[in-house]
Amino acid sequence: MARHPLRDTIAVVGVGSTPYGRDLQRSHLSLGLEAAVNAIRDAGIDKQEVDGICGSGMTPLAQGGAGFLSLQGSLGIERCTWGVNSWLGSAFVHAGAAVAAGLCDTALVVQTYMREPNMSRSAAADPFRRVLEQFSDVASDMGGGDFAKRWVHSGEPYAAWMKRYMHDYGTNKDAFAYMAVNNRSHGSRNPAAVMQQPITLEDYHASRMIWEPMQIYDMDVPVDCAEAHVITTAERARDLPNKPVYIHAMSLGGTRVGEFYENTLGWTENSHWVAAKGLWDRSELRLDDVDLFYPYDGYTIDAVGCVEAVGWCKPGEAGEFLKSNWDPVDNILRLNGRTQVTTHGGGLALGRAGGANFYSEAVRQLRGGEGSRQVADAKSALINIGSFFHDPSAVMLRAD
Amino acid sequence: MRNYGPIDDVTVFELYPGIQLNRDNIEHYRALAEQQLVINRCQDCGYWIYPHRPMCPECWSLNVKPEQVSGFGTVFMFTLLYQLRDPKSHIMEPLAVAAVELVEQKGLRYLSRIVNCAPEDIAHDMPVRLTWIEIGNLEWPAFEPVPEGQR
Ligand SMILES: [Zn+2]
């Protein structure tokens, strides 16, 4: 076991979301503020109790962005002793770490996403979205005509990994197909989801080819949305109105691949495997204890990679494993006969939020009270968010 | 392709206005302008360093210099693009993009297009060699299959 002083000492006490839509005609900041206000109100605290903020994007000075400086000013929070911007799996982990370390007592995490101009023709025609891309900090160094830099922050290597995975393990697309159908089935039961229609395996295989072998139903749905979370000490959480959801253990994961994704290591060496090992070195709960599983689905291969990285099955066996853990009545996965997966529909159905909505759903399920969508007696959730190459998280949440 | 003669820094910046040139990668682009593919290499232990970084991760030497590679490699992984990032672009046949593992070192990969090969004939671990294609009045590296007899 690794050194692990934070175990169950911090808790998620507030969750806030915006509506999800393809064109909400709002800024990152506007979306982020709505989610933040919802999360702080949900936590039942005064806004001045927030003394740490993790915002969205890469630079805190982005105009109209939901970085920590803009958020603090817009929310009217007087003093923060901690602030950072982050994304994907990392944002939540950074905020939890800051509370655990005592850099702040109550951290607000805000993650905003918008449909980008390179994602559709109608988005490309929208001048507000074009300006966002023009001044974006992440997309600024994607090659500028140099094809060799094309895989800096690109989805294409995930498509190449699908092909290499099938080649190396002599398998087919079953793993990806079952994951896609599972998420769309759950999405059809989530009124907030942008994709309300469930799909069949046949629909999956017939869907449009984008980057062979990756098809449109392998890809998350670009939307405008925001998610926010409030994390504080376990001690404070017990005085607040919501049932505390404790952060039992968490880990990030880094490898030496760096920013050019063609330098990818082997399938079982990517960053999700590093994060998973970091978690299992710290968590007292094991895979058998996991009631709910939330593997990131930016692409279906992300989720399949997470299934194998945390150890539900051996490398290369996800196709057979998911097929044999399929519930044909509800058209969803029940791992080892019980553990449900991505109960809100994830990025494939609810919409693309860089994984932030997985944390939100896990917390809501562990509190109970999700009505017809509530998974009975859910006490623990395993969440894996992030890229094969950077910012992966492995987080174990639990409730009493 | 124009003959630029000795290519000074200012010329490299003029030739590649869209590239984020810096002290660590400019030699790579200067060489591209001369139709050479160079990769940084540790002069102390011989390790090839990519992307363009100033220090050897194996021995921490800063004595790193670009050297020309043989241009031979194999297709480590690839995808066929049916749709490009620019949604306004239309492509008639799928564009092959591949991480080519160069023979110089295990795991040393250069991202490039595969040309002179039908998309359905591209295969993992297929031997390929460097060639050049003109895009936007500049010559860029691409890779093509090594003919059967020459493998
Ligand atoms: Zn060296």
Side-chain angles (χ1 to χ4, degrees), chain B residues 47-118:
Chain B
Y47 193 79
W48 295 89
I49 303 154
Y50 188 74
H52 321 288
R53 290 175 180 148
M55 192 176 85
C56 172
E58 296 296 309
C59 75
W60 287 5
S61 170
L62 288 165
N63 187 13
V64 167
K65 293 209 162 54
E67 288 186 23
Q68 198 167 357
V69 292
S70 67
F72 287 92
T74 52
V75 172
F76 176 74
M77 67 198 319
F78 67 103
T79 175
L80 304 176
L81 309 180
Y82 285 69
Q83 184 175 308
L84 299 181
R85 271 184 184 273
D86 175 2
K88 291 188 290 292
S89 65
H90 295 276
I91 38 182
M92 302 312 286
E93 67 169 34
L95 187 74
V97 45
V100 173
E101 179 141 333
L102 303 176
V103 294
E104 276 73 13
Q105 182 172 293
K106 185 171 163 36
L108 178 69
R109 306 204 190 105
Y110 189 79
L111 188 73
S112 195
R113 288 180 56 177
I114 301 293
V115 297
N116 305 328
C117 182

Side-chain angles (χ1 to χ4, degrees), chain A residues 242-274:
Chain A
N242 291 314
K243 180 177 173 182
V245 173
Y246 299 102
I247 299 177
H248 176 68
M250 55 187 190
S251 179
L252 297 177
T255 73
R256 63 186 282 175
V257 167
E259 61 275 29
F260 282 32
Y261 295 175
E262 66 272 20
N263 295 321
T264 181
L265 303 172
W267 173 250
T268 60
E269 296 166 286
N270 78 44
S271 68
H272 282 298
W273 262 262
V274 179

